Amino acid sequence: MIQDRYALAFKLYPYRKSPDQDAGSPARHPVVVVGCGPIGLATALDLGRQGIPVVLLDDHEGIGMGSRAICFSKRTLDIADRYGCGAPMLDKGVIWNVGKVFQDDRQVFEFNLLPENGHANPAFINLQQPYFEKFIFEQICQEQANGAPIEIRGKNRVDAIETFDDHTVLDITTPDGPYQLKADWVIACDGAGSPLRGMMGLAFDGRVFQDSFLIADIKMVSDSFPTERWFWFEPYFKSGASTLLHKQPDDVWRVDFQIGWDVDRTEELKEENIRRRLDAMLGNDVEYEMVWSSIYTFQCRRMQKFRHNRVIFAGDSAHQVSPFGARGANSGMQDVDNLGWKLGLVINGLAPDSLLDSYDDERIHGADENILNSTRATDFITPKSKASHTFRNAVLTLAEKHAFARPLVNSGRLSVPCVYDTSPLNGPDTLPGGPSQTRAGSACTDAPLGRDYLLRQLGDQFVLLAINTNAPGGLEVDNIKIRTVALSTADDPGGALAERYLGTADSAVYLIRPDQHVAARWPSYDAASLRTALRKACGKD
Amino acid sequence: MGKLNTKPNIAAPDDFYADLIAAHDGKSDAESEAFNARLILVLANHIGDRDILQEALNVAR
């Protein structure tokens, strides 16, 4: 039978018997997604919006309790906007840009994450993970109502997997007993502990950090703390070797104490012991209610390859980082964003399946970048040697008075979009004077266009963006449609589009992928160049 | 060719050395270590050039 492993925040997809369970032979589906966390839900949404039938399996019947991931980046919101569910996230989320760093009882410095104006989305919102998932789920329901072929099966636990050259067979357990499914493609979004990865005997190597963190999410109505990320190194209140305070919606605050490696989890998780730490930090007279608590240790590790023929790993199942930097869920969303259109083209017969190898190239590059940043932040926050600790504190001491030391302070390098500089999909980058931030491989930067914003006009097909030059509409290469978006200086009253896409060039033509990454750019349109670049972007040459 | 100057470059080297040692007067080992760390960071920032810093790390090994 299927026992729940955790309580639910929202019961959304109660078990219902599928006709597949009574089929004489295993039903075959184009795509089965395993795991209904944020990454599995987003994958199903992406594919379903393309009209590709997806079956989504989860061993529970809804979204798990607990705030868990709380920081969602601008890039994630841009992706969610593309899927149609960015607005409710932004609406519910707490917007923040400012972070403050303290040591002991002194403020070391503060930073502002969004130095550039003219983006539809803020640098970050804080939002409890169950809400984030629920908004994706609600968008799935809306797409289903519009005919998107997405099916979610609750209390369907995958217990075995057998892989073949052209398909995969899954053994599934349900409250009505076992059944089998065949899938052309399986997307494993079953989390850091990925049972599928284990069943396939695949390694998940990396580094384990010897420290524990105690999360206490509390409900507190307070005017004492602004909507900022506050991080203490060696705080005067002694509740942890470091402490993080961050606001979430519904007057909930995330408090995260670094409590050392050898801790008695049961003891530390007792409410009176958590309250002892919180009272020392907040003062005895502050009233609050405990919402959720958890102790975690962390690892930085990844699979050697994310694609294993017809089984593809995405999100935490493929790579895991420490939470400092908000690079977990945010990088998983970039996985989905990267995989969705590629798998869509392959399934629709518009690109060779070798295109999916570029998912490995690009997202392993992303994972390595995240692991590097997250490892460095972790080494700064939890120094592993006496010398490392001495230098860390020297940086913090100097940072209070001297600007030069502030860039060395690392309380987490917050997630920014990955640039696929060395991607095999990149075409020519031949725009003399073109800005570095929109070079081939980068995620498109937003820019205001009168009442609208650029990213909202790009959508989720291939786009030819022509600025101050002519390009034909209705383009098609190898049956792949390319939508032309023509803009000029007249659409760009603030000059941000020119600054971000022209640099010192007079005109530009960009080929933009469905995930809104730049594939190639030129000063002007040329049919043959476009054709070559599009074929390259689809893994054909 | 290296960019790090490893030739004598400090005027009155004995004076500098005396200042360096004097800066540690009255400090515990831990305080001295912390001071040294701050000093390294201040000097490293002044140099700035990553190639030179890398050479310095190698020379000091």
Side-chain angles (χ1 to χ4, degrees):
Chain A
M1 278 317 291
I2 299 196
Q3 294 292 331
D4 277 350
R5 291 174 292 116
Y6 47 79
L8 298 184
F10 305 109
K11 187 168 178 175
L12 298 177
Y13 35 86
Y15 171 75
R16 248 179 286 160
K17 195 170 187 182
S18 154
D20 286 354
Q21 292 171 243
D22 294 325
S25 59
R28 183 160 174 161
H29 295 271
V31 182
V32 172
V33 176
V34 180
C36 256
I39 307 311
L41 286 166
T43 300
L45 178 55
D46 188 310
L47 295 169
R49 283 167 51 83
Q50 299 180 60
I52 293 166
V54 192
V55 175
L56 189 47
L57 306 176
D58 196 85
D59 60 354
H60 287 69
E61 296 180 302
I63 294 168
M65 195 90 84
S67 318
R68 294 165 289 150
I70 57 162
C71 288
F72 294 96
S73 70
K74 192 183 114 55
R75 176 70 182 145
T76 291
L77 293 170
D78 289 343
I79 295 167
D81 267 345
R82 192 158 72 69
Y83 293 156
C85 51
M89 293 175 183
L90 191 58
D91 198 37
K92 179 75 187 172
V94 171
I95 295 173
W96 65 278
N97 291 309
V98 172
K100 284 185 179 152
V101 177
F102 303 86
Q103 185 188 26
D104 196 356
D105 59 352
R106 319 167 282 123
Q107 180 176 324
V108 173
F109 78 110
E110 69 174 80
F111 57 87
N112 190 331
L113 285 172
L114 194 68
E116 190 177 80
N117 288 323
H119 292 250
N121 283 314
F124 275 93
I125 60 165
N126 283 359
L127 182 68
Q128 292 91 330
Q129 185 174 331
Y131 284 126
F132 183 78
E133 295 179 29
K134 188 160 171 272
F135 293 137
I136 300 176
F137 177 84
E138 284 166 356
Q139 185 64 26
I140 286 178
C141 295
Q142 200 164 327
E143 300 285 347
Q144 283 171 326
N146 294 331
I150 306 171
E151 188 194 340
I152 303 185
R153 298 185 187 173
K155 284 238 191 245
N156 272 237
R157 187 182 70 210
V158 176
D159 283 335
I161 179 168
E162 195 177 358
T163 57
F164 298 91
D165 274 355
D166 67 340
H167 72 286
T168 297
V169 178
L170 298 170
D171 286 7
I172 297 161
T173 299
T174 73
D176 285 320
Y179 73 107
Q180 285 190 317
L181 277 185
K182 286 183 178 175
D184 294 344
W185 300 93
V186 169
I187 316 301
C189 307
D190 51 349
S194 177
L196 275 178
R197 196 181 58 225
M199 290 171 211
M200 292 176 70
L202 299 167
F204 197 42
D205 294 327
R207 200 172 143 191
V208 176
F209 290 84
Q210 299 210 327
D211 224 313
S212 317
F213 289 78
L214 169 70
I215 291 181
D217 277 5
I218 57 174
K219 192 164 182 143
M220 166 175 81
V221 181
S222 168
D223 299 326
S224 319
F225 302 105
T227 306
E228 298 170 346
R229 180 185 193 262
W230 283 17
F231 191 96
W232 285 265
F233 292 97
E234 301 175 342
Y236 65 91
F237 44 81
K238 311 282 184 206
S239 299
S242 68
T243 297
L244 175 76
L245 176 72
H246 219 172
K247 193 174 186 194
Q248 304 169 46
D250 305 336
D251 292 315
V252 173
W253 298 76
R254 162 69 49 93
V255 189
D256 197 343
F257 299 115
Q258 181 190 344
I259 59 170
W261 180 238
D262 285 317
V263 294
D264 181 339
R265 288 174 163 249
T266 318
E267 197 59 28
E268 292 294 349
L269 281 171
K270 284 184 180 160
E271 179 161 343
E272 68 260 30
N273 289 329
I274 299 175
R275 281 189 177 269
R276 187 174 44 76
R277 291 181 190 272
L278 287 164
D279 291 346
M281 173 185 179
L282 303 168
N284 285 321
D285 50 342
V286 174
E287 302 239 334
Y288 57 85
E289 181 189 318
M290 305 280 305
V291 175
W292 181 65
S293 61
S294 168
I295 288 182
Y296 66 93
T297 57
F298 50 77
Q299 294 92 37
C300 286
R301 51 188 180 175
R302 70 159 167 87
M303 299 177 75
Q304 281 180 333
K305 290 189 312 163
F306 300 167
R307 179 189 177 196
H308 292 263
N309 190 25
R310 287 177 169 264
V311 182
I312 300 172
F313 291 80
D316 283 357
S317 69
H319 44 75
Q320 202 184 357
V321 293
S322 79
F324 299 105
R327 288 168 180 269
N330 288 311
S331 70
M333 287 299 287
Q334 292 180 53
D335 290 350
V336 177
D337 184 47
N338 192 284
L339 180 60
W341 68 273
K342 294 175 182 175
L343 191 57
L345 286 179
V346 170
I347 289 173
N348 288 326
L350 294 168
D353 82 9
S354 58
L355 174 61
L356 296 170
D357 291 333
S358 71
Y359 168 75
D360 255 6
D361 293 318
E362 295 182 339
R363 293 314 301 158
I364 284 176
H365 167 70
D368 284 346
E369 190 175 277
N370 288 323
I371 288 171
L372 180 71
N373 277 289
S374 154
T375 300
R376 287 173 170 176
T378 305
D379 281 335
F380 195 87
I381 293 164
T382 68
K384 290 301 172 295
S385 68
K386 192 155 171 272
S388 173
H389 190 243
T390 304
F391 272 110
R392 198 279 301 275
N393 283 356
V395 166
L396 293 173
T397 306
L398 290 166
E400 190 183 356
K401 284 190 186 141
H402 303 287
F404 87 83
R406 288 168 203 159
L408 297 172
V409 176
N410 192 345
S411 67
R413 297 280 179 243
L414 289 152
S415 178
V416 289
C418 186
V419 181
Y420 305 133
D421 272 317
T422 57
S423 171
L425 305 188
N426 289 351
D429 191 330
T430 53
L431 180 66
S436 166
Q437 68 173 329
T438 43
R439 65 190 183 274
S442 57
C444 285
T445 306
D446 210 357
L449 300 172
R451 285 188 188 169
D452 201 8
Y453 285 90
L454 176 67
L455 296 188
R456 291 181 181 164
Q457 301 214 352
L458 297 180
D460 48 15
Q461 288 177 285
F462 275 102
V463 163
L464 193 71
L465 172 65
I467 306 171
N468 288 344
T469 185
N470 291 323
L475 291 163
E476 210 174 285
V477 172
D478 296 355
N479 296 317
I480 296 172
K481 289 187 168 52
I482 305 161
R483 204 163 55 84
T484 302
V485 174
L487 297 171
S488 72
T489 306
D491 302 304
D492 181 30
L497 181 72
E499 185 195 318
R500 294 166 198 175
Y501 286 84
L502 291 177
T504 58
D506 294 326
S507 66
V509 170
Y510 282 75
L511 174 62
I512 296 166
R513 313 188 328 190
D515 58 5
Q516 299 188 347
H517 276 259
V518 175
R521 61 179 180 177
W522 310 269
S524 57
Y525 171 75
D526 174 74
S529 304
L530 173 67
R531 180 180 167 76
T532 307
L534 187 102
R535 287 180 56 85
K536 194 155 196 275
C538 295
K540 292 184 179 175
D541 294 307
Chain B
M1 271 307 287
K3 292 199 273 179
L4 179 73
N5 187 355
T6 53
K7 299 198 179 73
N9 192 37
I10 300 174
D14 289 350
D15 289 351
F16 162 70
Y17 192 79
D19 287 348
L20 181 63
I21 301 305
H24 287 270
D25 280 352
K27 283 189 165 44
S28 68
D29 286 354
E31 286 165 349
S32 273
E33 277 173 33
F35 173 86
N36 281 339
R38 292 195 295 273
L39 183 63
I40 290 168
L41 293 168
V42 168
L43 297 176
N45 181 67
H46 182 78
I47 294 164
D49 186 315
R50 283 283 315 283
D51 294 340
I52 297 179
L53 291 171
Q54 189 56 51
E55 278 185 67
L57 286 171
N58 292 337
V59 166
R61 264 195 189 113

